[in-house]
Amino acid sequence: MQHEEKKMSPVLKKPEAMVFDMDGTLFQTESLLLPAYHGMFDRLREEGLFSGPTPPEELILGSLGMLLAQIWKNVMPDADEAVHRRADELLLELEIEGLNNGGTLLYPGVPETLARLKERGLRLFVASNGLEDYIHTIVTVHELKGLFEGLYSAGGQGTATKTELLKLLLDHHGIDRAWMVGDRSSDVEAGKGNGQTVIGCAYAGFGKEDELKGSDAIISSFAELLTLYDDAE
């Protein structure tokens, strides 16, 4: 009788905290973003701030995880700063409207897995390059508020990089050993830049092929996080 080869898991150290990215890690961004993206360009055209067709969706999906200022440079490089700032306002307004109208999605297993991790005594946080109101609204609408000890956003903390944001979070809460969980290279850089373990999330599919290079482990579904934690030393 043939035995299947057991897949070797990396031996990780148990953390005292887990820090999660939001878009592409906990939240299925495209369920909210794409309708808001098209609505935003309709409004920009109405206001005479943009002309021509809406840039391809791939441009914004490929920019997820970046700061908004960088996203607009990728999506509409020829528009000036005032148009980019108006785009910030409109996108946030339309996304919050969309969140409150319902129909947006977390990835499968997110609430249950977070609850089980918290039951195990883990401290849970969010660190996102998104705007503060956006992050808070997702957490409120999807009833995750009681699970997180802190929500950190580039918009709320005024940080220029995810590495800086994570450092701020770790310092504020006196955390020495954390797992940074995310789907973009900025999450890998943030974790490694702060001497922490990185768990790469490979299920969103927004990033490039080598996006998660340097991660200590890679998961293809959110629920795998529980097994990784339970198997850690």
Side-chain angles (χ1 to χ4, degrees), residues 10-209:
V11 179
L12 302 171
K13 299 271 184 244
K14 272 194 168 55
E16 54 190 295
M18 282 193 201
V19 181
F20 300 91
D21 171 49
M22 179 59 80
D23 291 322
T25 300
L26 302 177
F27 183 65
Q28 292 196 37
T29 316
E30 67 277 33
S31 68
L32 172 70
L33 177 65
L34 296 178
Y37 177 74
H38 288 285
M40 181 200 83
F41 275 103
D42 290 344
R43 292 274 293 275
L44 287 174
R45 280 188 287 264
E46 280 166 24
E47 293 175 13
L49 295 172
F50 189 84
S51 58
T54 298
E57 291 175 350
E58 293 71 43
L59 284 176
I60 192 146
L61 290 174
S63 304
L64 286 173
M66 295 175 184
L67 293 165
L68 273 174
Q70 187 56 52
I71 290 177
W72 301 135
K73 282 177 189 159
N74 292 353
V75 171
M76 39 179 168
D78 300 329
D80 64 29
E81 193 67 21
V83 178
H84 289 178
R85 295 298 67 81
R86 182 63 180 141
D88 287 349
E89 292 168 2
L90 287 171
L91 189 67
L92 180 62
E93 183 189 312
L94 291 162
E95 285 183 327
I96 286 177
E97 202 177 284
L99 278 162
N100 289 323
N101 287 341
T104 60
L105 301 166
L106 298 172
Y107 284 99
V110 164
E112 303 84 346
T113 304
L114 290 173
R116 286 185 185 144
L117 289 167
K118 193 174 171 70
E119 279 164 15
R120 282 157 171 73
L122 263 169
R123 302 170 72 185
L124 307 179
F125 298 87
V126 168
S128 164
N129 274 340
L131 293 169
E132 188 174 20
D133 287 352
Y134 170 70
I135 300 307
H136 280 264
T137 307
I138 292 172
V139 167
T140 303
V141 166
H142 287 282
E143 299 177 347
L144 302 176
K145 220 170 199 168
L147 296 169
F148 293 112
E149 194 175 322
L151 304 175
Y152 282 67
S153 61
Q157 268 70 38
T159 48
T161 65
K162 182 66 86 67
T163 307
E164 220 179 286
L165 185 65
L166 182 60
K167 182 180 187 333
L168 201 67
L169 187 161
L170 298 171
D171 290 350
H172 273 184
H173 295 275
I175 296 163
D176 295 319
R177 208 170 58 257
W179 287 5
M180 178 70 220
V181 184
D183 71 309
R184 302 309 301 260
S185 57
S186 56
D187 299 308
V188 180
E189 285 157 20
K192 291 299 159 192
N194 285 287
Q196 304 299 333
T197 297
V198 176
I199 311 300
C201 302
Y203 44 79
F206 298 136
K208 300 181 290 294
E209 203 180 316

